[in-house]
Amino acid sequence: MADQAFVTLATNDNYAKGAMVLGKSLRNHNTSKKLVALIGPQVSEPCQSVLKSIFDEVRVVDVLDSGDTAHLSMMKRPDLGVTFTKLHCWTLTHYSKCVFMDADTLVLSNIDELFDREELSAAPDPGWPDCFNSGVFVFRPSVETYGKLLQYCTEHGSFDGGDQGVLNGFFGDWATADISKHLPFIYNLSSIAIYTYLPAFKQYGGNAKVVHFLGKTKPWSCTFDAKSKQVVGSVHEATTHPSFLKDWWILYSSTVVPMLQEQYGDKPFHSGVVEHEESSSSHSHAVQSQQFQVSSEERKQKWEQGQADYMGMDSFDNIKRKLDNFLK
Ligand code: UDP
Ligand code: GLC
Ligand code: MN
């Protein structure tokens, strides 16, 4: 349908890479909907060109900022004030219905059925399930709603400093009013759930349709070894199940990087893809030595912030082994 669209947001080149991968993943699963990227003026020319070749519409918007450092620092994410920019999606009134998706999400199968849902449909937030997570939601663009949202921001601010706090305040009856507005968790599976409820992940994770790389470390903060097809950089802080992260990198390195390379031409461009055979083994030494440097208090803190050391101490295999021992 021409008047329905998936919408994402990128205020800088890093998030733009995420948006490119998301757009590609939607196309690969044959969406019949339009694709829209809202971008900040900071996004570079080469990235804008690549976005234009993947998305039907790339719209430059003003970057809004909550400027709410108190709430943002509580969440340890001073960077999320700009997520207020997301509210611009309600101004896309040439569409009757849209699905917003964070630039750090990846689509694993066709999800056009989400358009059968009404505003405001979203999945529970893994940290506080009576709130919805604003990484994936169904909405109806409307100038009136946009105005009311801005007014709500002015009057009430945001309890988390970002858009999710505002949206949960504004659509405050989400938790109780209408169960059809609760999207199944498989439409916004965040990596954190793997650690908080591993047996459920093992039972249902295979049905995931959208994975959300929620948390401070994003796929694009890592490095990918093209030879061994392994994610090798920054893994100490990465927060997601290795195979989803690998899916992201395979799509990025095989389809997005060549497009970016063409746009950048001779100009320097950091793709994050490296080629060195020894990276995996030298990396495992690095992980091992890091393990001894992290105190259990630090480790607990990291865990609670959703920054599990998934390739090291908190690896899927380690957790499984512990769980199996415990169950025995
Ligand atoms: N975002 C952006 N620039 C930023 C931070 C966030 O464009 O500097 C957008 C992007 O679409 C991102 C979304 O806002 O996916 C929400 O931020 P993020 O995904 O980092 O939050 P999280 O899901 O980790 O809480
Ligand atoms: C969240 C959501 C993200 C939102 C941020 C700020 O954790 O995943 O989409 O932008 O909070 O409110
Ligand atoms: Mn996100």
Side-chain angles (χ1 to χ4, degrees), residues 102 104 212 214 218:
D102 267 8
D104 61 343
H212 185 178
L214 184 147
K218 299 302 183 193

Side-chain angles (χ1 to χ4, degrees), residues 261-269:
Q261 259 155 358
E262 197 185 324
Q263 289 303 321
Y264 275 91
D266 297 335
K267 282 181 256 151
F269 151 63

Side-chain angles (χ1 to χ4, degrees), residues 9-12 15 77 80 82-83 102-104 212 214-215 218:
L9 165 70
T11 62
N12 58 39
Y15 280 94
R77 293 291 302 277
L80 287 188
V82 297
T83 66
D102 267 8
D104 61 343
H212 185 178
L214 184 147
K218 299 302 183 193

